Amino acid sequence: MKNPYLPLPMRLVKNFVETEDKLIHTFTLEFLNEEDEKSFQYLPGQFAEVSVFGVGEAPFGIASSPTEPGHLKFSVAKVGVVTTTLHQLPEGTILGVRGPLGNNYPIEEFKGKNLVVIGGGFAFTTLRSLITYILHPDHRGDYGELTVIYGARNPGLLLYKDELAEWEKRSDINLICTIDRPVEGWNGRVGFVPAVTKEVAPSAENAYAVICGPPVMIKFTMPVLEELGFSPERIIMSLENRMKCGIGMCGRCNVGNKYVCKDGPVFTRAQLNQLPNEY
């Protein structure tokens, strides 16, 4: 029986400063052997526990896509001991990874449907995984129109800028980036995500909405989606409750009778409506 607490060893091959404030880095980790990669079968929306040996471990959403073999990506904000240590690690360091953990975005249900993906700031990591998966040539034909609304306080805080630039050139994705206030040199939209979502007004017909971001963004975007006609069953959310063990044993991330790490982190709005408002 596989020990769920035993991490796979992976090599840090890239430690990239993602944002201009230098508080978010994206780490690219490669598998050390083929058997470990084969055992790590994941889908967009899942997370993993990343450990720095001798320091500790922490859960992070997987930012890479299964369509990007050989490695995993994690975008990590510097907020504590483990993440601060991660930010300082040189490339070549061996790290531990436990996972994949949690559930995934319902990509089978999404097939044949239009998708509206809404993200804010740092919480764009698993959305990147989802978008990259859908845009892959093997999958793009399985899904309808793809609209992405992504906001940050300023352009320097947007993640994955090179990929955003590439996505903007494509005709099979409608990408709308927005910042909170005007900045010299910015030619995109200006405004908060809820207001921009209302302006763009993506159709709810034959569509799902996937939303991940700061609680205040979600709070004010939810009424917009409901006004546009998205039913609670077709609004998909990814919770970010504070997780610890990742396998539903420690009870740190429970909401009502659900564990975010085990039963989530992906839930429909309809499912969350049945739970206490503790998320």
Side-chain angles (χ1 to χ4, degrees), residues 25 96 107 110 126 151 157 195 201 209 227 234-235 252 264 275 277:
H25 288 203
I107 54 176
F110 289 167
T126 59
L157 296 182
E227 185 179 322
R234 290 202 170 186
I235 298 175
R252 187 171 177 178
L275 298 176
N277 188 20

Side-chain angles (χ1 to χ4, degrees), residues 43-47 61-62 101-107 109-110 126-127 129-130 208-212 232-241 243 258-272 275:
L43 288 170
Q46 291 189 277
F47 70 97
I62 303 172
L101 301 169
N103 64 356
N104 54 272
Y105 294 121
I107 54 176
E109 292 180 37
F110 289 167
T126 59
L127 298 181
S129 176
L130 176 64
Y208 277 86
V210 184
I211 181 168
C212 189
E233 291 76 15
R234 290 202 170 186
I235 298 175
I236 311 297
M237 302 167 66
S238 182
L239 299 189
E240 296 187 333
N241 288 47
M243 295 184 283
K258 300 291 185 183
Y259 292 101
V260 173
C261 69
K262 185 179 177 184
D263 302 305
V266 176
F267 295 91
T268 65
R269 177 66 170 167
Q271 289 172 318
L272 293 178
L275 298 176

Side-chain angles (χ1 to χ4, degrees), residues 4-5 47-49 57-59 98-99 101 242-253 259 261-262:
Y5 292 104
F47 70 97
E49 297 273 353
E57 70 172 6
R98 285 199 294 126
L101 301 169
R242 201 168 182 83
M243 295 184 283
K244 182 67 174 176
C245 71
I247 54 175
M249 297 299 289
C250 71
R252 187 171 177 178
C253 63
Y259 292 101
C261 69
K262 185 179 177 184

